[in-house]
Amino acid sequence: MIILYAIGERLERSVGAIRMFVVYMVSLLGGSLCSYEMMLLTGDYAVSAGASGAVYGIIGGFLWLLLLHRGHLEGISARRLVFSILLMVYFGFSSSGIDNWAHIGGLVSGFLMTAILYHRKCQKY
């Protein structure tokens, strides 16, 4: 929830409340579908609940903004965010009972949805 607040607030300021909501919901759906697909492929059926895939989607969306803004935005660098993402994914895979595919699906969905919805205004010099 701290990550949702910290990164989500920055994403909302950049893209607006409605686009932020769309990114969140698409990431929630993308994470759930990725998790479901992996359950079908592996045969490892488990109950999965929560909004962590959507939170990863918010992180993925902010990563898109960082890349679009040459690696720095609102005091956060792309290098730091990528390092944090790698740590979160590593700890997810090294722990039991974590729906890693929901996290990865949410991250990718949020990244792609933000890429579709957000276009930086061109500056004329």
Side-chain angles (χ1 to χ4, degrees):
M1 295 314 296
I2 292 170
I3 292 172
L4 177 61
Y5 175 73
I7 301 297
E9 183 181 39
R10 288 177 168 94
L11 182 66
E12 185 179 4
R13 273 197 304 264
S14 296
V15 302
I18 293 173
R19 288 185 181 126
M20 161 78 172
F21 177 74
V22 171
V23 169
Y24 184 87
M25 295 306 289
V26 168
S27 299
L28 183 65
L29 183 62
S32 297
L33 289 175
C34 185
S35 173
Y36 180 69
E37 184 66 29
M38 288 308 294
M39 275 193 255
L40 291 177
L41 289 174
T42 62
D44 183 22
Y45 300 104
V47 176
S48 177
S52 58
V55 173
Y56 271 78
I58 297 301
I59 295 167
F62 195 71
L63 179 61
W64 168 256
L65 292 182
L66 285 172
L67 295 176
L68 197 62
H69 289 272
R70 299 178 191 210
H72 294 282
L73 182 65
E74 294 201 20
I76 298 178
S77 71
R79 181 178 291 167
R80 287 182 181 175
L81 188 62
V82 168
F83 180 72
S84 297
I85 290 168
L86 291 174
L87 277 178
M88 290 186 296
V89 170
Y90 169 76
F91 285 121
F93 277 103
S94 65
S95 302
S96 62
I98 305 294
D99 192 355
N100 297 301
W101 293 108
H103 295 168
I104 292 170
L107 183 74
V108 171
S109 298
F111 184 88
L112 294 175
M113 197 73 232
T114 306
I116 292 168
L117 293 177
Y118 180 78
H119 303 285
R120 191 169 84 170
K121 294 177 183 159
C122 296
Q123 296 176 348
K124 295 182 181 180
Y125 294 101

